[in-house]
């Protein structure tokens, strides 16, 4: 890198700006998590202090564990997110392969049709989605949420994956055909393993919005048995709004899973964004 | 399908079918069904066709139209704050991050992105607690820099609630423009910047004259993504202020208005037909925005072949 573009003064200013903004970004999370380990009195008297031997208390977590079924909520969120992602990836990859690999009448039209959903939010159709779920008896089931999130994730998945599938070498696929592989085997055995990085990008993009969604759980699956973690913590906090220990603990418990997911996948996510997957 | 391939190529249909079926059944058909339902109303014997009556109520009845225009105007203000605060901050952070040889860039990037991965519920309640006059974190921090008199219960006042919520949302999502612009800046070839350097264009003027024109298409994409996200926003306002979008509807936007109308609140019963009418209006707003972007902006932005 050329030296003309860096001088020490600039770099100090750059670090100062970045540190300031990092503090702004992390401060609220920090305050919530540290205070969740304090007694009620310490929360109010010394909100910015770290918990010490005197002020340390797990009473909030005890209330949360006694009153809210957070293990069940977590399990529901997990099922919905994992199954939706699996369906988005497999259905999206199949459709992307059909559009990228074969020339057939209506190819462009199907592509455009599937791309519509990238710009139009699925929430606009909520009234009719709820009626459809009522008619098919899917209200208050995890299946309703899985269907909605799959439909919501497919357009972008097809778009990104078909871009990548066009880059898979034709020679490889033709070699497979000469060896007598069926089109299905060519897709599952040859093409899918090659687009695995793109599939990971699609999965990471979809994971966080599905996990964090409040609208559809609230409307399609509000029953206790099928509450997701996001809806569960919303309802719990609404009921315990004056019990600050419980609220702070519930918030910390809700932060934890996404934070773990983020730490595990952040490299993938950042590589996905910066490799120009969204253009 | 010519002679060499006379057999029907069923596998194409098999590959396309699952995605097309789920997408059509759960997204496209309900979308059009919602538009259709906005033309019906509840009669004494079930659903009856009502033509444009719902829209006449929505725009003509003073009770409804006041709420609708309030929500729409609030929504525009919400969007404007995002455009005016979120995107400049995102671009500035990306510009600083992309400086060559910056240490810890990966750490800053990951840390600043953390709020974006949190759910609206966490973000809404966390800020509600921090800004709460009862807890006193915000006033005592302002006190530390000598600005205690600035403090007010911002979320509880009609004049400031919406702006405060918009700024919370900006805090949450600044990571997205930052990442996209960062990616665009990294894709600018070094030769261009070095050529500019030879001509004496460095530092700030290099940013304004060379980099900014090159990342304009990315800024355009960010703007339309922000627009669509803002005009179907709901979660943050619902988590922080409840379905009534208080105080006195001052933070009501189209998403919360739709939710209240569709599900009912307090004494008002839920009305799926008026709900559909509001959803149709939202659809129209988003469609107009996307068209302005596609035909008005995207085609005019000059793109440079890199």
């Amino acid at each position: 890198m050329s030296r003309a573009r860096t001088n020490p003064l600039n770099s100090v200013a750059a670090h100062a700006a970045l540190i300031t903004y990092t503090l702004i970004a992390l401060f609220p999370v920090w305050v919530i998590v540290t205070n969740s380990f304090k007694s009620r009195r310490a929360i109010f008297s010394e909100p910015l202090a770290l918990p010490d031997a005197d002020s340390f208390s797990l009473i909030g977590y005890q209330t949360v564990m006694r009153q809210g079924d957070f293990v069940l909520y977590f399990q529901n969120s997990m099922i919905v997110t994992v199954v939706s992602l699996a369906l988005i990836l497999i259905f999206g990859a199949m459709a992307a392969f059909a559009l990228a690999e074969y020339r057939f009448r209506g190819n462009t039209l199907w592509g455009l049709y599937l791309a519509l959903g990238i710009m139009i939010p699925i929430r606009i159709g909520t009234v009719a989605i709820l009626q459809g779920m009522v008619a098919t008896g899917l209200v208050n089931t995890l299946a309703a949420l899985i269907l909605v999130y799959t439909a919501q994730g497919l357009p972008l998945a097809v778009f990104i994956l078909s871009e990548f599938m066009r880059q898979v070498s034709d020679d490889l696929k033709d070699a497979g055909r000469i060896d007598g592989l069926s089109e299905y085997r060519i897709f599952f055995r040859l093409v899918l393993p090659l687009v695995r990085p793109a599939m990971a990008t699609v999965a990471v993009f979809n994971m966080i919005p599905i996990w964090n969604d409040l609208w559809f759980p609230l409307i399609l699956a509000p029953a206790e048995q099928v509450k997701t973690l996001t809806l569960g913590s919303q309802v719990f906090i609404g009921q315990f709004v004056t019990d600050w220990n419980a609220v702070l603990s519930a918030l910390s418990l809700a932060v934890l899973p996404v934070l773990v997911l983020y730490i595990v996948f952040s490299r993938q996510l950042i590589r996905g964004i910066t490799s120009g997957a969204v253009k | 399908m010519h002679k060499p391939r006379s057999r029907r190529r069923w596998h194409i249909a098999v590959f396309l079918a699952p995605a097309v079926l789920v997408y059509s059944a759960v997204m496209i058909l309900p979308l059009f069904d919602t538009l259709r339902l906005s033309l019906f109303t509840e009669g004494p014997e079930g659903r009856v066709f009502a033509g444009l009556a719902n829209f006449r109520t929505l725009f003509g009845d003073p009770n409804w139209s006041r709420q609708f225009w309030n929500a729409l105007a609030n929504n525009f203000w919400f969007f404007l704050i995002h455009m005016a605060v979120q995107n400049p901050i995102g671009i500035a952070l990306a510009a600083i991050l992309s400086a060559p040889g910056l240490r810890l860039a990966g750490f800053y990037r990951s840390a600043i992105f953390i709020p974006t991965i949190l759910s609206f519920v966490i973000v809404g309640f966390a800020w509600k607690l921090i800004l709460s006059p009862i807890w006193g974190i915000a006033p005592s921090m302002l006190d530390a820099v000598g600005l205690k008199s600035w403090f007010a219960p911002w979320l509880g006042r009609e004049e400031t609630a919406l702006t405060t919520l918009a700024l919370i949302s900006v805090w949450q999502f600044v990571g997205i423009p930052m990442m996209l612009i960062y990616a665009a800046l990294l894709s600018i070839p070094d030769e261009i910047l070095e050529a500019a350097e030879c001509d004496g264009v460095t530092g700030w003027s290099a940013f304004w004259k060379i980099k900014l024109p090159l990342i304009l298409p990315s800024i355009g994409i960010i703007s339309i993504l922000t627009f669509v996200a803002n005009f179907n926003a709901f979660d943050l306002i619902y988590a922080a202020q409840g379905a009534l979008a208080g105080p006195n509807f001052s933070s009501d936007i189209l998403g919360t208005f739709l939710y209240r109308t569709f599900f009912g609140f307090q004494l008002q019963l839920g009305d799926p037909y008026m709900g559909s009418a509001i959803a149709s209006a939202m659809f129209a707003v988003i469609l107009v925005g996307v068209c302005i972007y596609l035909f008005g902006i995207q085609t005019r932005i000059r793109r440079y072949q890199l």
Side-chain angles (χ1 to χ4, degrees):
Chain A
M1 226 20 87
S2 67
R3 226 166 279 151
R5 262 179 279 147
T6 49
N7 74 53
L9 205 69
N10 271 349
S11 122
V12 168
H15 280 284
L18 288 170
I19 289 171
T20 311
Y21 200 84
T22 305
L23 288 178
I24 295 175
L26 297 184
F27 173 72
V29 182
W30 170 255
V31 169
I32 299 295
V33 175
T34 52
N35 278 290
S36 72
F37 291 105
K38 289 196 224 165
S39 67
R40 186 176 170 81
R41 200 148 41 87
I43 290 176
F44 283 98
S45 58
E46 288 287 333
L48 294 178
L50 278 173
D52 54 28
D54 227 15
S55 61
F56 181 81
S57 160
L58 288 174
I59 181 137
Y61 289 96
Q62 285 158 2
T63 317
V64 171
M65 285 307 165
R66 213 172 40 243
Q67 302 289 339
D69 213 341
F70 276 73
V71 177
L72 175 72
Y73 303 157
F74 178 79
Q75 204 180 312
N76 288 335
S77 278
M78 219 45 202
I79 295 174
V80 168
T81 309
V82 170
V83 177
S84 307
L85 284 182
L87 292 180
I88 291 171
L89 288 178
I90 186 70
F91 292 173
M94 285 165 67
F97 183 67
L99 294 175
E101 176 67 15
Y102 306 112
R103 299 182 150 273
F104 57 96
R105 221 181 309 154
N107 182 314
T108 322
L109 222 58
W110 281 115
L112 281 176
Y113 173 69
L114 285 169
L116 271 183
I118 297 177
M119 276 299 170
I120 302 168
I122 191 168
R123 285 184 187 183
I124 304 284
T126 303
V127 176
I129 291 177
L130 177 61
Q131 292 192 343
M133 295 298 174
V134 171
T136 48
L138 287 175
V139 167
N140 279 327
T141 63
L142 297 180
L145 294 177
I146 291 171
L147 279 173
V148 168
Y149 296 140
T150 307
Q152 169 185 278
L154 276 172
L156 193 63
V158 172
F159 183 75
I160 293 177
L161 291 173
S162 58
E163 292 291 307
F164 277 85
M165 292 205 180
R166 277 182 241 279
Q167 294 165 14
V168 174
S169 105
D170 281 334
D171 295 346
L172 184 71
K173 287 173 283 192
D174 289 338
R177 288 193 180 101
I178 291 167
D179 287 346
L181 291 186
S182 70
E183 296 296 320
Y184 304 106
R185 281 186 167 236
I186 288 176
F187 170 67
F188 283 106
R189 290 279 174 77
L190 295 181
V191 178
L192 266 197
L194 287 174
V195 294
R196 222 184 277 148
M199 307 257 287
T201 304
V202 171
V204 176
F205 277 150
N206 279 295
M207 186 165 61
I208 287 166
I210 294 177
W211 183 277
N212 284 339
D213 188 40
L214 179 62
W215 175 264
F216 283 112
L218 192 63
I219 288 168
L220 297 178
E224 184 64 21
Q225 275 307 306
V226 288
K227 265 183 203 156
T228 60
L229 188 61
T230 305
L231 179 61
S233 38
Q234 149 82 21
V235 173
F236 179 87
I237 292 167
Q239 283 167 353
F240 283 78
V241 76
T242 49
D243 184 342
W244 284 59
N245 294 95
V247 168
L248 292 167
S249 309
L251 284 173
S252 306
L253 281 179
V255 172
L256 198 66
V258 251
L259 209 58
V260 170
L261 280 179
Y262 178 64
I263 291 168
V264 173
F265 290 108
S266 69
R267 190 167 296 173
Q268 186 70 48
L269 177 77
I270 288 165
R271 202 189 303 144
I273 298 177
T274 48
S275 74
V278 248
K279 264 187 182 166
Chain B
M1 273 169 264
H2 298 293
K3 271 198 184 145
R5 290 208 172 194
S6 54
R7 64 200 171 88
R8 299 292 298 260
R9 296 190 292 167
W10 282 109
H11 50 268
I12 298 179
V14 173
F15 280 131
L16 270 177
V20 169
L21 283 179
V22 173
Y23 171 74
S24 306
V26 188
M27 180 148 184
I28 297 298
L29 289 178
L31 176 66
F32 285 103
D33 206 29
T34 301
L35 299 181
R36 190 180 64 90
L37 280 173
S38 68
L39 303 176
F40 287 81
T41 189
E42 190 70 37
E45 281 147 35
R47 182 183 296 176
V48 286
F49 184 76
L52 294 173
N54 290 331
F55 292 98
R56 270 199 294 277
T57 313
L58 187 60
F59 299 116
D61 184 321
N63 261 329
W64 283 97
S65 69
R66 200 184 55 231
Q67 287 198 67
F68 176 78
W69 294 116
N70 174 47
L72 187 66
N74 285 346
N75 225 151
F76 266 106
W77 180 243
F78 198 70
F79 172 62
L80 279 181
I81 297 218
H82 278 80
M83 290 300 285
V85 182
Q86 172 190 285
N87 295 349
I89 293 182
I91 293 169
L93 288 172
I96 299 174
L97 274 177
S98 68
L102 182 85
R103 286 191 193 178
L104 292 174
F107 165 76
Y108 292 127
R109 208 175 48 190
S110 303
I112 293 173
F113 201 73
I114 282 184
T116 310
I117 63 164
L118 301 177
S119 80
F120 296 94
V121 174
I122 300 170
V123 171
F125 275 103
W127 277 101
K128 211 174 154 177
L129 297 182
I130 288 168
L131 296 176
S132 153
I134 305 174
W135 199 7
I137 284 202
S140 65
M141 291 193 68
L142 284 176
D143 198 20
V145 285
L147 293 173
K148 192 172 186 185
S149 59
W150 281 25
F151 181 77
W154 289 300
L155 278 175
R157 291 212 175 152
E158 276 185 46
E159 314 85 66
T160 50
L162 181 67
T163 310
T164 311
L165 285 163
L167 289 174
I168 294 174
S169 173
V170 165
W171 170 81
Q172 185 178 6
F173 287 115
V174 103
I176 291 178
M178 178 188 80
M179 289 289 196
L180 294 176
I181 298 290
Y182 177 70
L185 286 172
L186 286 190
S187 71
I188 299 176
D190 273 335
E191 296 87 70
I192 294 184
L193 299 174
E194 276 157 17
E197 228 167 76
C198 294
D199 292 340
V201 183
T202 54
W204 273 109
S205 67
F207 178 78
W208 288 108
K209 289 185 182 152
I210 315 272
K211 292 180 185 168
L212 199 62
L214 289 173
I215 58 171
L216 267 187
S218 300
I219 296 177
I221 289 173
I222 290 164
S223 308
I224 189 65
L225 288 178
T226 310
F227 180 84
V228 174
N230 284 168
F231 276 85
N232 79 102
F234 159 82
D235 311 53
L236 177 68
I237 311 255
Y238 181 79
Q241 308 287 64
L244 284 174
N248 192 21
F249 301 112
S250 59
S251 56
D252 201 18
I253 57 171
L254 290 171
T256 44
F257 183 39
L258 166 63
Y259 179 81
R260 271 204 320 279
T261 310
F262 181 25
F263 276 92
F265 67 104
Q266 294 176 348
L267 294 176
Q268 184 186 323
L269 282 174
D271 182 344
Y273 305 104
M274 282 308 285
S276 304
I278 295 169
S280 307
M282 286 167 76
F283 181 62
V285 171
I286 290 174
L287 212 59
V288 168
V290 171
C291 287
I292 291 177
Y293 167 72
L294 284 181
F295 303 113
I297 299 174
Q298 201 202 20
T299 49
R300 296 219 181 125
I301 292 180
R302 227 189 287 173
R303 268 156 223 281
Y304 300 89
Q305 196 73 44
L306 293 181

